[in-house]
Every structure is written in structure tokens, then in C-alpha cells.
Amino acid sequence: MANVTRWVRFRHHDKIGFGQLTPSGISVHEGDMFGDPRPTGQMLALDDVELLAPTQPSKIIALWNNFHALAEKLKSPEPAEPLYLLKAPTSVTTPGAIITRPLGYDGKTTYEGELGIVIGRSCTAVAPEQADAFIFGYTCTNDVTAADILNRDPTFPQWARAKGFDGYGPFGPVIASGLDPASLVVRTILNGVERQNYPIADMIFSAQTLVSKISHDMTLLPGDLICCGTSIGVGVMKEPVNTVTVAIDGIGELTNEFRQ
């Protein structure tokens, strides 16, 4: 993974910037992360900045039933086309942020560690073999879900509401460019115990197929996030304070707290 670059957004002295994460710190860039990023020559120590979500997506697309292993466990037929919902952009929060249970909701909240695809160029109706040219990179996501809301009304599954609360969409801390997603493994650690460990190669629809098929439904814009869906091991965060880390070797670790 020698050619992998890792991009971050940050706040430093009340100014928001972006750059490449290096062993020496953050190499600050100017311009547009997705267009013409140019190094300024300035370096910042990681400890001197507040890391933000690495993009501000116009939309977040979240997949359901996109892993062979999970479909088999749930005894659910594998879909003929991607099944997805739109997650509110206001659900985004920063790496390290404390996520709190919504007021008025006292039900179960689950973690879902996932790989995220970040779009780098506007794309409409692209072919699968073209998709890599429109993918900027990959990130860690936690598709937090208010599970008891989902099927509370028997007439209407409330996917968008259950997953759209403020803070329920952390991702980051970096976008890694220049790696093959099919080689990656997603791990989710809850309160120090590994709960998920699954290969991206088990996806029913590959990253490139997802970008292609979704781009035939809607135009994808730079910074948009596609959450690839999760596999087996999803669970409830039961403690008063829960620390959740989504770790993907080659990308990094996303850690947040969920407080009841």
C-alpha cells in the first residue's frame, strides 16, 4: 500500500482546512480536495488540530443486504439490484464525537461497521468499468441505527428516520486513495471486544458495481458517501457509555462514543 494517500479535513485556530496525513503530520493543501489540491508547504501536528468528517456529502447512500454471509444468516434472498436508503447529511458527526441517544427514544441503538465509498467526480450513468475514475477513495463508517424505530409502524419501515438522527452518521477520520477495496477487512470493536470481522470481498455488489448502478438512479457528486452495508456481528450498544471503533487496515480507525 505504498501508493496510498490519506486525506483529512480539520479545524485549526477556527479555520477549516484539508491535507494529506503523513508520518510527520498533516501536509496542508489548498484549493479543492476533489479538483486541484495543491500543497502549501505547511505541516501541522495531528495533536494540534481537530479532525472533522473528511467530506461534507450532499447525500449519504446506505446499503441493505449487500453481503453473502449476512443474507445467508438472515435467510434472506440475495437482491437482484442494490437495496439502499438515503441517510440525512445532518447525521454526520466528527471522528471522536460523543453520540447521544435521541430525546424521546428509549429503545435499542445498534452499531454497523462499514466501508464507505467517497465520490470524487460528478457521475451519472457510468459503467462499472468506468467507476474507479469517479471514486476518490474509501473511508470507515458506522451506520448507527435506532433499531426499534425501524419496524415500529407495521405499515411503513422507517429506514431514513431510524438511521438519520443527528450524530448517527460518523465517518472518517481519513479518505484513503489508491487501494483495492476488495482486499480490505472491516472490524468493529465495542468496549474493547471485537464484534465484527468480515471481508469486503464478500459483498454481493462490488464498490464499482454500486457506483455504476446508483449513478443510473441519481447523479453522484464529489464528496458523496456510499455506505457499502454491513455483514454479520451487528449488535446493540447496551452500556451507559459505549466506545465503538470501526477499523479497516489500510484506511485507519474511526472511534466514537455512544451514550445512553
Side-chain angles (χ1 to χ4, degrees):
M1 298 185 181
N3 296 321
V4 174
T5 55
R6 296 176 179 86
W7 294 89
V8 294
R9 281 178 68 244
F10 58 84
R11 181 179 287 109
H12 181 250
H13 292 163
D14 295 325
K15 292 185 178 180
I16 293 176
F18 74 97
Q20 288 187 10
L21 185 61
T22 76
S24 304
I26 297 171
S27 170
V28 178
H29 282 54
E30 62 184 4
D32 180 357
M33 184 190 294
F34 306 109
D36 182 28
R38 302 177 301 276
T40 66
Q42 181 184 14
M43 293 290 297
L44 292 174
L46 198 54
D47 289 344
D48 291 339
V49 305
E50 176 195 357
L51 290 179
L52 305 175
T55 79
Q56 296 175 291
S58 77
K59 53 188 168 294
I60 303 165
I61 295 139
L63 270 292
W64 162 250
N65 195 16
N66 191 34
F67 282 84
H68 297 288
L70 184 60
E72 182 178 355
K73 180 180 179 181
L74 297 177
K75 295 181 171 52
S76 177
E78 295 186 359
E81 58 188 7
L83 305 177
Y84 62 85
L85 62 128
L86 291 178
K87 197 169 166 107
T90 45
S91 70
V92 170
T93 192
T94 60
I98 295 170
I99 303 165
T100 56
R101 182 175 49 78
L103 293 174
Y105 175 67
D106 59 2
K108 297 174 182 176
T109 297
T110 60
Y111 59 82
E112 295 185 15
E114 306 186 5
L115 175 72
I117 304 167
V118 178
I119 300 299
R121 295 168 53 197
S122 179
C123 64
T124 305
V126 302
E129 57 271 19
Q130 299 172 316
D132 279 330
F134 295 88
I135 296 173
F136 183 77
Y138 299 90
T139 191
C140 303
T141 73
N142 185 359
D143 185 14
V144 183
T145 306
D148 290 346
I149 285 177
L150 185 54
N151 295 304
R152 188 157 70 185
D153 187 313
T155 70
F156 184 77
Q158 299 185 72
W159 287 100
R161 183 183 177 201
K163 293 174 175 285
F165 286 105
D166 289 355
Y168 273 36
F171 70 102
V174 310
I175 307 167
S177 299
L179 46 70
D180 175 12
S183 68
L184 302 175
V185 172
V186 177
R187 295 184 300 119
T188 306
I189 299 97
L190 173 65
N191 298 326
V193 178
E194 184 176 276
R195 296 299 183 90
Q196 292 189 287
N197 187 323
Y198 64 87
I200 290 300
D202 188 50
M203 287 205 301
I204 295 169
F205 300 102
S206 70
Q208 293 78 11
T209 300
L210 289 175
V211 170
S212 173
K213 287 186 175 295
I214 295 170
S215 77
H216 280 77
D217 295 343
M218 62 186 72
T219 296
L220 297 171
L221 301 177
D224 282 354
L225 176 66
I226 300 173
C227 302
C228 292
T230 198
S231 190
I232 55 177
V234 169
V236 178
M237 295 180 284
K238 298 178 180 178
E239 301 301 322
V241 177
N242 302 269
T243 301
V244 184
T245 296
V246 179
I248 305 176
D249 287 346
I251 299 178
E253 296 186 355
L254 169 70
T255 299
N256 291 91
E257 266 188 17
F258 174 75
R259 296 185 180 178
Q260 304 282 13

